[in-house]
Amino acid sequence: MQYQNTLTYAQQQDKEDRISYLRNRFHIPKDKNGDNWLYFTGNSLGLQPKSTKEYINQELEDWANLGVEGHFEAKNPWLNYHELLTDNMAKVVGAKPIEVVVMNTLTTNLHLLMVSFYKPTKAKYKIVIESDAFPSDRYAVQSQLKFHGFSADDVIEWKPRKGEELLNLEDLETIVSEQGDEIALLLIGGVNYYTGQYLDLKKIAEIGHSKDCVVGIDLAHGAGNISPELHNSGVDFAAWCTYKYLNSGPGSLAGLFVHEKHAKNKDLPRFAGWWNHNKETRFNMRQPFDVMEGAEGWQLSNPPILSMAAIKASLDMFAEVGMDSLREKSEKLTGYFEFLIKQIGSDDIKIITPSNPKERGCQLSIQVKNADKSLHKKLTENNIITDWREPDVIRCAPTPMYNSFEDVYRMVSILKGFL
Ligand SMILES: *Cc1c(COP(=O)(O)O)cnc(C)c1O
């Protein structure tokens, strides 16, 4: 790719971008003077699609006009509303519809999945996570260990090698081949939240399964960002939130994936509620519990429709453009971002995200020399929204849905002025 370091070039790329029209479908926050922010935190909270309000209003109106009858009479009847999300969500993560459901929040889903898939014995009970796992995931697995009578220290960390930032699959292979008899579960971030490294899920599944370890994936930074091909990867389960790249609003519901190979296994231990009971007899109430097949068999409660409406607004857009177009633009956009940062030629910053587009999504993690946090502050004061992650990284995620080549060009020009 022959990139050029000029505003004209960036603007030309936007003209040639077949999905640039999507930007207009989002609310881009502005400063007091009415200037757009340069928003690079779609990996933390995605921007609001303009259509979200309509989707939510529809449900508010149906509720106002129909009360409880909305369960059956709403334009999109609430009783089965979650089913309207399944196909499009399955496409986003490369799964079959029976493998996916939208419910709860991410950490809750991880716990519910561990109820079924973390079945420690006295000999085989340890859990492997990345050393830079998202704190919530670490707390979740530590608490599962303690819940089963083990110690928080029974977590095994998969660490980058000395002097390196990224994870190496060979090291995971070594951990599993040497200690696999004691390991019950691998719970790995498919795209690491800190470095932006996208790991080979299929390989991770093979490594884990070679020693009969269950393999679970946290896709918080993957869903809507990369194309994880969850079904083909062979991982046992996965969960992800929808408020990051899936633009469904703060604290919105999460996704859950259980591989088809477990879909009909009714013997898996699991928590139950009326919503994972057979739909046909759910309202008879006095039946013995009869669990549903597939991912829906992990639901507990009837879900919040207002949040689902926001997810629907977003997923309808993902379905319209498709992950392939988004990925195609994303590789170019992040490649351009990387090119421009390298052109600055400063020793004060270093990109730690892999440079191979197949090993990353849109995020670049920029390590700042001497952990100088003032750089992040200066960016923020100049309408550039990024985030600082301890100890020394600025994360920037140009998303293909609403960021432009011009955004990236302007961002790096300003950044350059501070170095
Ligand atoms: C964002 C994120 C979370 C957040 O968990 P919630 O339950 O949605 O609050 C957890 N894990 C990872 C890897 C994340 O990126």
Side-chain angles (χ1 to χ4, degrees), residues 40-43 191 195-196 198 221-222 224-226 245 326-327 329-331 333-335 337-338 353 357 359-365 395-403 408:
F40 287 91
T41 40
N43 56 347
V191 176
T195 62
Y198 172 26
H221 281 266
N225 178 26
I226 43 95
Y245 294 106
L326 286 165
R327 273 307 297 159
K329 171 172 175 188
S330 183
E331 288 192 13
L333 189 63
T334 295
F337 190 28
E338 181 183 40
T353 308
E359 292 173 31
R360 68 182 183 199
C362 70
Q363 171 183 326
L364 291 185
S365 301
R395 299 186 310 169
C396 313
T399 67
M401 272 271 186
Y402 48 77
N403 283 115
V408 164

Side-chain angles (χ1 to χ4, degrees), residues 105-108 110 134 136-137 189 193 218 220-221 241 243-244:
T105 47
L106 170 53
T107 309
T108 309
L110 289 176
F134 193 87
S136 193
D137 301 35
Y193 85 100
D218 185 321
H221 281 266
C241 49
Y243 49 79
K244 292 174 178 161

